[in-house]
Amino acid sequence: AAGEFNRPGMTTNVQAYEAYLRADPDLNPVPEETLESIAYLENAVAIDPNFGIAWNALYRAYESANISLPPELSAEFVNLAAPARERALALMPESAEVLVSNAVFQRRMGNFIDAEELFLAAITRYGNSDAEANLNYGEMLWSVGRINDALPYLQRARRLDPKQADIAIRLATTLLALEQFEEARAETLRGIAANPGNG
């Protein structure tokens, strides 16, 4: 869509954009695909060093490599993740993508207060259009035992992205923990129906 190119951190270089599009946005855990995505994203930022969205995606791909690749393959990416995150942050500090990525990073580091501030900043600005911000904040609230608080964010994430399996699973689990058994069952069935290939 034409509006895509008006996003903060977007490139105007067609080659850089095409390289970015070839990377797997879901960061599939298959090692070969992770390495391929990293190569495409590294190419995108080499072509346009000011392509903030690609830098943010590259940071996430480096982080993903620590999980999806064996240590001998992922070791080099550990040191590259932080500079990519800092570059994205410098290029587009107020964007939803970077605020959420930075919040997830702070949460992973155990800095829950900083993470919450970043999540809330993203949700205040973009919460009615950003499913990922709501999902990740809901998951953090869940992880620290604030299950009641997590529920409305997970419900909003589901409304924004009704086909994402991760949201359906987390929302159903939350409803179950809150002993809302019928709602949990309904959400599980809705998630299966929305994702028939994941069954």
Side-chain angles (χ1 to χ4, degrees):
E4 171 83 353
F5 289 94
N6 295 324
R7 290 167 64 197
M10 182 48 74
T11 187
T12 55
N13 185 296
V14 173
Q15 289 177 307
Y17 186 61
E18 286 177 350
Y20 165 75
L21 288 178
R22 295 187 69 151
D24 178 7
D26 296 324
L27 299 173
N28 195 306
V30 178
E32 295 78 14
E33 292 182 17
T34 298
L35 290 170
E36 193 174 74
S37 289
I38 287 172
Y40 283 128
L41 292 168
E42 287 178 336
N43 188 34
V45 299
I47 295 168
D48 181 356
N50 294 318
F51 190 177
I53 289 171
W55 277 109
N56 191 58
L58 183 57
Y59 156 65
R60 294 179 62 178
Y62 286 150
E63 284 281 295
S64 171
N66 293 331
I67 300 164
S68 63
L69 300 179
E72 63 272 16
L73 288 176
S74 68
E76 66 178 291
F77 300 127
V78 174
N79 295 327
L80 296 173
R85 183 177 65 86
E86 292 300 322
R87 181 73 176 140
L89 189 60
L91 288 167
M92 43 183 218
E94 299 301 314
S95 77
E97 293 101 329
V98 168
L99 286 168
V100 172
S101 287
N102 208 21
V104 170
F105 173 77
Q106 294 298 336
R107 175 190 171 189
R108 192 175 294 123
M109 299 301 291
N111 302 326
F112 293 103
I113 293 172
D114 291 341
E116 183 161 41
E117 286 180 4
L118 288 161
F119 278 130
L120 289 174
I123 288 167
T124 298
R125 293 185 183 100
Y126 310 104
N128 289 318
S129 61
D130 194 301
E132 187 180 11
N134 285 279
L135 172 62
N136 279 282
Y137 184 47
E139 287 186 331
M140 188 187 84
L141 291 171
W142 167 277
S143 74
V144 296
R146 293 169 57 189
I147 299 171
N148 270 308
D149 292 341
L151 183 60
Y153 294 100
L154 297 171
Q155 289 172 325
R156 184 192 285 165
R158 198 268 316 262
R159 285 194 302 275
L160 292 167
D161 192 353
K163 293 192 173 183
Q164 191 182 140
D166 288 351
I167 296 173
I169 292 165
R170 175 53 77 197
L171 181 52
T173 307
T174 302
L175 290 163
L176 200 58
L178 294 171
E179 299 185 2
Q180 298 181 27
F181 301 117
E182 284 305 311
E183 293 88 342
R185 180 176 181 278
E187 182 58 29
T188 301
L189 293 173
R190 190 206 61 78
I192 292 168
N195 298 275
N198 291 336

